[in-house]
Amino acid sequence: MTIGKGGILGAVLLTLVLLFAPFASGLAQQAPPANDAALIEQLKGPLAGRVSIPDAKSGLLIQPQGRDWRQTLEGPVKAGGGWLLILSVVAIALFMAIRGRIKVDSGLSGRTIERFNGIERFAHWLTAVCFIVLGLSGLNLSFGKSLILPLIGPEAFTGLSTFGKLAHNYLSFPFVFGVLLMAVLWIRHNIFTGVDMQWFRQGGGLFSRGVHPPAGKFNGGQKVIFWLVVLGAIVLAVSGYILMFPFYFTDMAGMQLSLIVHAIAGMVMVAVILGHIYIGSIGMEGAFDAMGTGQVDVNWAREHHSLWVKEQSRAGGED
Ligand code: HEM
């Protein structure tokens, strides 16, 4: 038996009618839109059909909120984050130019005191190394296409971004572990007290030479950094794991919100940590040793953490 041309055409037409019937019936109930604007207005709500597979969300054909979400992400979130990072770098550069390197006013004594033991330094550097890779690969996800792609071309950018995305996913685990370890080790030293208020009133002595407000193991500014790191890491981890396991914990709207929260928290943390890295390295004489060898000069410790030195001397920790 042979099927004629008419038979084939008929079968194709029937298939097309069956495929588009649900959409046609949906739209047929309303008057056809007069122009594009009217069509968009008509499609304000989601355009969804029905599917017989378990993944019910794949029946969602158009989700207009997605358009608003992309505009928010590409507009205010990226622009705000970009300006925040530029502001942070400019503020550090200005501080560096005006204040210069913060010196040990009484000079180095040559005697040292243990500031951080091996576990504390391990927790810090694990967190720091992971954060730097997470921060750079995250910024590449947000800004790489417009800033790095034109510089290195599509092939290198594809390699870089593929590697960056893998690193971003896997390093999140040791990062969270590092922050938890730091939180356990240091939480008791980071409760705010009246001493910190005095530290804040005197600007931490950061803006005037020879001023050294008293401080315990951590001063008021460091406590702020500590809490921003701990709370920021919680926000990043929760929103990040929601994104890493799509639709496992939440629906489409939850995924969209998580990405915006993750992007904002990441950029705020990078902006804050830039200042921390400056003060902990070139910005303050003698500070890096605390996380390098773990030993700091006694005069540095007396100027920046006088109450802690007194405690340590009572406990016999000074060399
Ligand atoms: C190259 C990068 C970094 C350098 C050079 C650095 C340096 C330092 C130094 C020297 C200290 C001890 C300060 C003191 O003795 O009082 C410190 C403490 C600390 N660091 Fe870092 N750090 C870096 C990156 C990071 C990152 C990426 C994080 C977290 C995301 C972080 C979180 C902390 C915290 C919470 C403390 C204790 C509180 C404080 O001193 O502010 N650090 N860091």
Side-chain angles (χ1 to χ4, degrees), residues 4-277:
K5 275 186 191 163
I8 295 174
L9 192 64
V12 171
L13 280 176
L14 185 64
T15 314
L16 286 176
V17 167
L18 286 175
L19 270 177
F20 290 101
F23 304 115
S25 64
L27 290 177
Q29 288 155 9
Q30 302 167 21
N35 50 36
D36 285 357
L39 177 67
I40 289 172
E41 187 58 31
Q42 194 168 311
L43 294 179
K44 265 278 160 63
L47 183 62
R50 264 188 296 123
V51 285
S52 55
I53 55 172
D55 183 13
K57 71 178 178 314
S58 60
L60 185 64
L61 200 64
I62 299 177
Q63 190 228 17
Q65 297 93 312
R67 220 174 295 131
D68 303 340
W69 166 79
R70 195 168 342 103
Q71 274 166 8
T72 310
L73 187 70
E74 296 295 325
V77 173
K78 278 196 189 175
W83 279 112
L84 182 70
L85 294 175
I86 292 172
L87 202 77
S88 170
V89 172
V90 170
I92 294 167
L94 278 178
F95 183 75
M96 190 169 154
I98 296 168
R99 176 68 163 96
R101 191 170 202 220
I102 300 171
K103 297 266 186 196
V104 178
D105 285 329
S106 49
L108 296 176
S109 70
R111 284 189 310 131
T112 59
I113 179 171
E114 183 178 78
R115 177 116 175 98
F116 295 114
N117 64 27
I119 298 177
E120 290 173 299
R121 281 178 285 142
F122 167 75
H124 176 266
W125 287 118
L126 178 71
T127 310
V129 170
C130 291
F131 183 86
I132 289 168
V133 180
L134 287 165
L136 290 175
S137 50
L139 289 176
N140 183 48
L141 287 173
S142 292
F143 302 110
K145 216 158 139 192
S146 34
L147 295 182
I148 301 178
L149 175 64
L151 294 179
I152 63 174
E155 269 180 33
F157 183 69
T158 305
L160 180 82
S161 303
T162 309
F163 173 77
K165 181 72 190 102
L166 281 173
H168 201 83
N169 283 358
Y170 285 105
L171 288 183
S172 67
F173 296 100
F175 170 71
V176 170
F177 175 72
V179 173
L180 284 178
L181 194 54
M182 284 203 299
V184 170
L185 292 169
W186 292 340
I187 200 156
R188 70 197 166 97
H189 301 294
N190 279 289
I191 312 296
F192 286 96
T193 66
V195 174
D196 301 316
M197 300 310 131
Q198 186 185 342
W199 190 91
F200 286 121
R201 272 196 299 276
Q202 293 186 256
L206 291 173
F207 303 96
S208 28
R209 284 165 226 274
V211 176
H212 299 294
K217 175 141 177 162
F218 293 117
N219 60 42
Q222 290 176 301
K223 290 180 185 179
V224 170
I225 300 271
F226 172 85
W227 286 111
L228 277 174
V229 168
V230 173
L231 299 177
I234 292 173
V235 173
L236 282 176
V238 170
S239 55
Y241 290 127
I242 287 176
L243 295 170
M244 202 187 279
F245 301 101
F247 303 106
Y248 194 82
F249 306 106
T250 182
D251 58 4
M252 183 73 81
M255 292 293 297
Q256 289 166 338
L257 180 67
S258 297
L259 199 112
I260 290 196
V261 168
H262 195 76
I264 294 176
M267 291 190 223
V268 168
M269 255 181 99
V270 171
V272 170
I273 290 296
L274 284 176
H276 168 77
I277 293 177

